[in-house]
């Protein structure tokens, strides 16, 4: 056909044009699946900005939705002309003169790039095509995506085609409206309305020229020119946009000079709509799926996925109810303890004088104020002391009040918080996730984000190390003073731990009794025998991922760990010695109803079945052994309606009663609970008010009462499993029963009443009823 054209130049020109047409047709038709999906005319006429994804409990009840909650569509007449002028002057000065593709602008941008002045050549319509239809997303890519240069060419051609089709369907005003409603502005703000409210607490039709220029300037790189994190760069970029507006006649020189001299004048007081349905659980699922979404090219906020979690709606409800019930009581106790006194104090009990200042400096706005007032602390202080209306959290319901920022810092510093997680070790499924007392006011997740000193809940890792290396639950150590020499950072040191009551009984105690009563001196001796390096190794093997400082005191919980890690590690004992990778999501279904992912727990054997079972027997010592620190659970009758029920566990309290822990084990479940204030300088002051058995344990006890009271929960009381293998080590050894009253404690360093000299008698270790003479 082409040979009939005699003129060679004309013939080659026709071949080139014909090839380009074929190439574009192949892209549009996704020939042989080479080029990936392209938007159809129907897609362009009926654009979908994003499709809501939904997350469900394991029984199908809706937890919440993922969508771009910060996107609120706005009409063209509600957009300030200054925004439009800034956009056109900066991004596409020939916008009104082209039909979607500006070939002149594209060629000049290529020439500028070749000269070293890199600038984009995409029109506003092309950017809209990329934002609205995601022409560069994985699911829009074909086989050709593996060829670097060709891939980029295909992307650009696809955007050209889509832009031409958009211009065919919409007029310029409609294109600008679509653009402003889809473009991202950082800080999870999508669309111009969300952005103008976020940064200036104004609607898009009322912001100034300078403010318009700042917002448009962000479009080049929302992180780089983020006015909150990078105010200097944001100001420079704003001034560049203003220069473009002056260059193309949108503002006069005098206005330009006035605008560039202005500060950013951010107003971050806008409070986002609370109807987004956010929660600790919803955020935890998002983080859990983050890696999978990146690998598979999915976006929770756009792709209309249905996510089924492992969380049991009944158990989650009971956990939240138990938390609310007990935390309200604990908060009242905390207020009564401190009254009008200042609770933020150093280790010596002195008030921390710069506590408020340091909290102010952590706020995002502090840096802006410091720049605005040129470091004038008087003006900064006046800003933080200015009263304003706000809604605050309280256990009697949200309360409207007039507070300054300083008032708010003082108020929230005294609020106790919690983290709670329950897992079913046999399947690895997480059944309960309570990240805190109220997500609206406390965004920090205390299950997996927060890490705190574990206190005595870490002691079992010393005992499992001993059992797995030749010791038995019946081996005895003497409760006596201990002095351990070690080297810390190249320097010799000596550690001489005290018991919680600063008293040594000089009694011989079995390992089971010592762990159940949480005796520091014996735990230290066990750690010295097996080696603290080995204790660290076993903790990591069982599931602790945080770095642990290998020192003799490691077994007393001096390192920071999360509730998530502790629950995972304790699950190893109930799971026959196999460490699990907990799963929070069971499956993901796409818009078409197809299952695109299913998740199961990975398991790895790290302990023998004998050692794992012996540890369960050791944990029951907290209930069975004299002075066992779990015996406050006898106060929850719902746990003992069936006499054959068994519960194991371990309390924990860090120094100065900063952190209270309880790790509870039943025949089916492992639950971890932490209680404390977010700032470690604010805490309880005594064993009676602040140790783990009085803060975290009651939440576990009430939770399990509710679970057992519901026959539909799927979990019933009952004894621990019988040995999975033949037990070769001695474990059924008598324990002495203390006739005199004592006070059980579990703190690292605070004294209580001195333990009285006991009169003992031999008794089988399987106590079915609470000891009558034991102080709970």
């Amino acid at each position: 056909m082409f040979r009939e054209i005699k003129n060679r130049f004309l013939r080659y020109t026709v071949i080139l044009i014909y090839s380009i047409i074929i190439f574009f047709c192949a892209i549009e038709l996704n020939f042989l699946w080479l080029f990936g999906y392209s938007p159809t005319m129907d897609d362009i006429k009926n654009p979908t900005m994003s499709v809501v994804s939904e997350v469900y409990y394991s029984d199908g009840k809706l937890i919440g939705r993922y969508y771009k909650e910060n996107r609120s569509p706005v009409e063209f007449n509600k957009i300030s002309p200054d925004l439009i002028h800034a956009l056109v002057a900066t991004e596409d000065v020939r916008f009104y003169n082209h039909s979607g593709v500006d070939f002149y602008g594209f060629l000049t941008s290529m020439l500028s790039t070749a000269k070293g002045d890199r600038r984009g050549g995409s029109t506003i319509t092309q950017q809209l095509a990329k934002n609205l239809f995601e022409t560069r997303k994985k699911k829009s890519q074909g086989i050709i995506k593996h060829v670097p240069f060709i891939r980029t060419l295909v992307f650009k051609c696809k955007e050209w085609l889509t832009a031409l089709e958009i211009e065919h369907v919409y007029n310029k005003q409609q294109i600008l409206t679509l653009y402003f409603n889809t473009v991202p502005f950082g800080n999870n703000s999508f669309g111009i309305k969300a952005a103008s409210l976020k940064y200036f607490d104004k609607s898009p039709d009322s912001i100034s020229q300078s403010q318009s220029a700042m917002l448009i300037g962000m479009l080049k790189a929302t992180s780089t020119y983020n006015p909150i994190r990078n105010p200097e760069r944001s100001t420079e970029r704003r001034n560049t946009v203003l220069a473009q507006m002056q260059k193309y006649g949108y503002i006069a020189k005098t206005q330009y000079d006035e605008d560039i001299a202005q500060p950013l004048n951010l107003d971050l007081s806008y409070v986002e709509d609370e109807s987004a349905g956010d929660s600790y659980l919803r955020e935890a699922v998002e983080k859990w799926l983050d890696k999978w979404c990146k690998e598979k090219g999915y976006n929770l906020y756009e792709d209309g996925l249905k996510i089924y979690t492992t969380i049991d709606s009944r158990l989650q409800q009971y956990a939240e109810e138990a938390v609310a019930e007990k935390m309200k009581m604990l908060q009242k106790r905390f207020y009564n303890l401190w009254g009008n006194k200042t609770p933020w104090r150093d280790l010596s009990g002195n008030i921390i004088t710069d506590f408020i200042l340091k909290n102010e400096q952590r706020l995002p706005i502090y840096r802006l104020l410091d720049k605005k007032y040129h470091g004038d602390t008087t003006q900064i202080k006046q800003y933080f002391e200015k009263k304003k209306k706000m809604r605050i959290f309280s256990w009697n319901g949200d309360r409207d009040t007039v507070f300054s920022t300083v008032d708010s810092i003082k108020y929230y510093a005294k609020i106790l918080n919690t983290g709670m997680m329950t897992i079913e070790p046999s399947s690895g499924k997480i059944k309960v996730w309570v990240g805190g007392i109220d997500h609206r006011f406390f965004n920090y997740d205390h299950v997996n984000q927060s890490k705190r000193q574990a206190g005595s809940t870490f002691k079992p890792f010393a005992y499992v190390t001993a059992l797995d290396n030749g010791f038995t639950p019946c081996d005895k150590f003497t409760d006596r003073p201990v002095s351990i020499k070690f080297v810390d950072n190249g320097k010799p040191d000596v550690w001489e731990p005290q018991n919680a009551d600063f008293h040594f009984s000089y009694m011989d105690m079995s390992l089971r009794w010592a762990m159940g009563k949480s005796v520091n001196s014996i735990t230290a001796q066990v750690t010295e025998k097996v080696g603290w390096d080995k204790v660290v190794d076993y903790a990591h093997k069982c599931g602790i991922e945080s770095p642990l400082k290998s020192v003799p005191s490691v077994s007393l919980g001096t390192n920071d760990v999360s509730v998530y890690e502790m629950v995972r590690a304790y699950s190893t004992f109930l799971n026959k010695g196999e460490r699990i990778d907990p799963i929070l999501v069971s499956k993901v279904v796409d818009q078409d109803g197809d299952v695109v992912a299913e998740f199961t727990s990975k398991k790895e054997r790290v302990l023998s079945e004998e050692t794992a079972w012996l540890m369960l027997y050791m944990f029951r010592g907290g209930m069975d052994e004299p002075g066992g620190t779990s015996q406050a659970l006898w106060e929850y009758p719902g746990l003992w309606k069936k006499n054959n029920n068994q519960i194991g566990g371990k309390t924990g309290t860090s120094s100065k009663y900063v952190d209270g822990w309880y790790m509870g084990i039943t025949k089916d479940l492992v639950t971890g609970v932490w209680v404390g204030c977010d700032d470690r300088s604010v805490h309880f002051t005594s064993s009676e008010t602040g140790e783990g058995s009085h803060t975290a344990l009651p939440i576990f006890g009430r939770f399990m009462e509710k679970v057992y009271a519901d026959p539909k929960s799927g979990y019933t009381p009952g004894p621990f499993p019988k040995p999975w293998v033949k037990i070769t080590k001695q474990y059924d050894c008598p324990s002495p029963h203390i006739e005199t009253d004592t006070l059980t404690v579990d703190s690292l360093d605070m004294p209580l009443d001195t333990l009285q000299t006991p009169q003992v008698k031999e008794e089988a270790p399987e106590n079915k009823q609470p000891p009558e003479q034991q102080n709970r």
Side-chain angles (χ1 to χ4, degrees), residues 578-612:
E578 290 186 324
R579 185 185 66 216
I580 59 174
D581 286 335
I583 57 173
L584 185 57
V585 175
S586 58
K587 67 177 179 180
V588 180
V589 178
D590 66 13
Q591 293 184 59
D592 299 323
D594 297 325
V595 177
V596 293
E598 290 186 284
F599 302 96
T600 56
S601 178
K602 296 179 182 178
K603 300 182 179 182
E604 180 183 355
R605 177 158 300 283
V606 295
L607 300 173
S608 68
E609 291 189 30
E610 179 180 12
T611 298

Side-chain angles (χ1 to χ4, degrees), residues 638-659:
L639 303 180
W640 315 108
K641 287 182 178 180
K642 293 187 177 181
N643 289 335
N644 67 340
N645 190 36
Q646 291 178 333
I647 294 178
K650 189 73 194 74
T651 57
T653 313
S654 65
S655 298
K656 305 297 180 183
Y657 307 100
V658 172
D659 308 290

Side-chain angles (χ1 to χ4, degrees), residues 82-97:
D82 291 325
L83 280 166
I84 296 170
H85 297 159
L87 177 66
V88 172
T90 307
E91 298 292 327
D92 188 2
V93 70
R94 291 166 50 82
F95 174 69
Y96 294 103
N97 300 320

Side-chain angles (χ1 to χ4, degrees), residues 107 135 208 242 263 290 335 403 423 427 479 491 502 557 561 596 605 635 667:
L107 291 173
T135 53
S208 66
L242 288 169
D290 181 63
Y335 285 150
F403 264 4
I423 199 169
S427 64
D479 176 20
K491 297 181 180 179
F502 282 96
V561 293
V596 293
R605 177 158 300 283
E635 298 173 9
K667 64 182 178 65

Side-chain angles (χ1 to χ4, degrees), residues 521-558:
S521 67
I522 293 180
T523 304
Q525 293 175 61
V526 170
T527 302
E528 184 178 28
K529 284 285 186 181
V530 300
W532 41 91
D533 287 343
K534 190 168 284 189
V535 172
V536 169
D537 289 341
Y538 270 80
H540 284 314
K541 283 202 301 184
C542 288
I544 300 297
E545 295 178 338
S546 294
L548 302 173
K549 187 176 181 180
S550 183
V551 290
S553 62
V554 64
S555 298
L556 270 60
T558 53

Side-chain angles (χ1 to χ4, degrees), residues 5-53:
I5 303 175
K6 303 301 182 182
N7 185 297
R8 180 181 297 177
F9 176 78
L10 181 59
R11 182 167 68 247
Y12 288 152
T13 301
V14 171
I15 291 173
L16 177 62
I17 294 172
Y18 190 82
S19 299
I20 292 173
I21 293 172
I22 294 295
F23 181 65
F24 275 98
C25 289
I27 292 175
E28 188 73 7
L29 297 173
N30 191 18
F31 181 69
L32 295 178
W33 300 279
L34 290 171
F35 306 102
Y37 169 80
S38 293
T40 65
M41 189 59 73
D42 185 61
D43 293 332
I44 292 170
K45 289 180 179 179
N46 302 285
T48 301
M49 295 183 189
S50 62
V51 180
V52 172
S53 293

